[in-house]
Amino acid sequence: MIPQVRSRSSIRSRAFAVTTAALLSTIAACGDDGINNSTPQPPRGIIVLDGFIQPGLTFLGDTGSASTKLTLAPTTEFDAGGFTLLRDTVLAVSSRGAGDLLYVTDVRTSTTRRIQLPTRSNPSRARLLSGTGGQTLIGAALRDSSSVALLSFAGAGTVTSTRISNVGTCPTDLFQFDNATWIVDANANCKVNYAVQGDVRLIRVPNTGTTRDTILLPGLRGSGASALVDGDVAYISAGGDASFASFPYTLISTGGITKVDLRGKRVLTAKRMPANTYGAGVKLGLDGFLYVTLYQDLASFTNRIIKVRPADLSFVTSASADWLVLTGATGTAVTCGSGQADALGRLHCIQNGTGSVTSLLVFSPTGTEVRRVPANQGGVDMAIRP
């Protein structure tokens, strides 16, 4: 999930702040929610995260131009560059610079609960986990604490918190699988300057016992690493390594995706993003393909979206480029970020125009614009709610 470009200085700060979604990160609709429909149906709606100016969620239908805005927070306490959606719950976090906060939104009722996370823990991403006894359980990766917070509560009741400690240098994401919590360690100096220290790691922490497993992901680098889980396979992505000390910025290594067999605890295959690109925010389309959002380069910061086959991580290319070639309603080329396809293969993405006014764009399977609708202002991420 990549926010739309506002300025080079904004890109630099977001790249360092890494809400990967900041440069991707992230993700978004994880798990298999809505993936296994036997008969493809159009989505029930789209959610857009307005990350700056007027932070909040914009809810859009699959047709028409009507929208509903839910304000989340003032700009002084909100810097999320992405969110996660599972069924009817949206989770977003603010980093240490904006108060170390977690926002839990019930999409059905458009209500949000604001939860304080440990001070200066610098949360990266939150995930809805499987609770017990009617409790909601949320995990939040705390970059500056080398830990994961597990938050449990019922309704509006008191939140109880526990920790999984010593889970890497900079934990940025997590998920549950087979009686264990798996943590993505970006292996970067997130406390100071987000400088990459080495390859991304996947750490398995069992629910019982003390034996942990660490899976090294060779060649995968980036301080905004994230996970997307589908069945017993995880796709771990990271945006790459770059220096933003001065302009022109310097690309050290491109981003990539690594496919991991969770049962076998082994790497299946890996794919690097095209030369000169930066970012690798991965979404699972409802058509079964992966959609990767990245920047074409570190000079123009042009948004591009690549369609990827999950089986072998090969690109679905056009005749002229690795990324999707998208055409506007007037026949001109257009670009957008944070892309995800619905079950009919229609790509949905967002674009920020003058004054950061956001539009949701929808393209046919052949890449022609079929819909453009206002989505408020300051959009940084979107997801389809099936």
Side-chain angles (χ1 to χ4, degrees), residues 31-374:
D32 60 0
D33 190 26
I35 300 301
N36 299 318
N37 293 330
S38 59
T39 303
Q41 297 293 330
R44 296 189 319 192
I46 302 97
I47 301 174
V48 174
L49 173 65
D50 309 312
F52 56 97
I53 302 177
Q54 294 180 326
L57 298 171
T58 296
F59 301 98
L60 300 158
D62 190 49
T63 59
S65 59
S67 66
T68 301
K69 174 67 177 286
L70 174 65
T71 299
L72 290 180
T75 55
T76 54
E77 68 166 45
F78 194 87
D79 63 359
F83 67 96
T84 63
L85 167 68
L86 181 60
R87 292 182 291 275
D88 295 314
T89 301
V90 167
L91 302 177
V93 299
S94 288
S95 72
R96 64 170 180 256
D100 303 290
L101 297 165
L102 167 65
Y103 302 87
V104 184
T105 300
D106 185 331
V107 175
R108 296 166 300 177
T109 60
S110 290
T111 56
T112 295
R113 180 168 185 177
R114 176 180 176 274
I115 299 173
Q116 180 67 59
L117 294 172
T119 302
R120 298 193 63 78
S121 59
N122 202 16
S124 169
R125 191 180 307 273
R127 297 289 185 183
L128 186 64
L129 307 177
S130 297
T132 59
Q135 297 278 311
T136 294
L137 180 63
I138 295 172
L142 307 179
R143 288 175 287 193
D144 290 5
S145 301
S146 295
S147 64
V148 165
L150 299 177
L151 312 167
S152 182
F153 58 92
T158 302
V159 176
T160 59
S161 178
T162 58
R163 292 271 195 109
I164 302 176
S165 301
N166 301 316
V167 285
T169 305
C170 177
T172 51
D173 204 354
L174 72 150
F175 58 89
Q176 290 175 322
F177 178 80
D178 195 26
N179 298 315
T181 301
W182 300 65
I183 295 98
V184 179
D185 173 29
N187 201 6
N189 187 2
C190 295
K191 292 182 180 179
V192 179
N193 58 5
Y194 295 93
V196 172
Q197 306 296 295
D199 294 338
V200 174
R201 299 173 288 207
L202 187 58
I203 301 171
R204 178 185 179 274
V205 181
N207 294 344
T208 58
T210 60
T211 302
R212 296 185 176 191
D213 299 291
T214 299
I215 304 172
L216 184 68
L217 308 181
L220 187 64
R221 296 195 165 205
S223 55
S226 61
L228 189 158
V229 180
D230 185 26
D232 56 5
V233 169
Y235 301 92
I236 312 300
S237 62
D241 190 9
S243 171
F244 294 90
S246 61
F247 188 81
Y249 305 136
T250 302
L251 180 67
I252 300 170
S253 62
T254 60
I257 308 172
T258 300
K259 183 177 180 180
V260 178
D261 170 11
L262 297 176
R263 294 197 183 280
K265 293 179 281 189
R266 63 190 180 95
V267 172
L268 294 173
T269 188
K271 181 72 172 180
R272 297 291 293 273
M273 293 300 103
N276 301 318
T277 64
Y278 184 67
V282 182
K283 294 180 184 290
L284 180 58
L286 305 189
D287 59 350
F289 289 90
L290 302 176
Y291 289 84
V292 181
T293 304
L294 45 69
Y295 290 120
Q296 182 175 335
D297 53 52
L298 289 177
S300 67
F301 289 101
T302 301
N303 284 121
R304 297 296 185 183
I305 297 174
I306 298 177
K307 185 176 181 179
V308 179
R309 298 177 182 91
D312 59 1
L313 301 184
S314 61
F315 297 163
V316 180
T317 62
S318 66
S320 58
D322 288 322
W323 44 74
L324 297 176
V325 176
L326 306 174
T327 304
T330 60
T332 58
V334 297
T335 61
C336 56
S338 188
Q340 183 180 18
D342 62 26
L344 303 178
R346 303 179 304 173
L347 177 69
H348 292 56
C349 55
I350 54 176
Q351 180 186 83
N352 283 347
T354 303
S356 297
V357 173
T358 303
S359 297
L360 170 74
L361 279 62
V362 182
F363 296 88
S364 71
T366 59
T368 301
E369 182 182 324
V370 294
R371 186 186 182 205
R372 181 184 291 253
V373 59

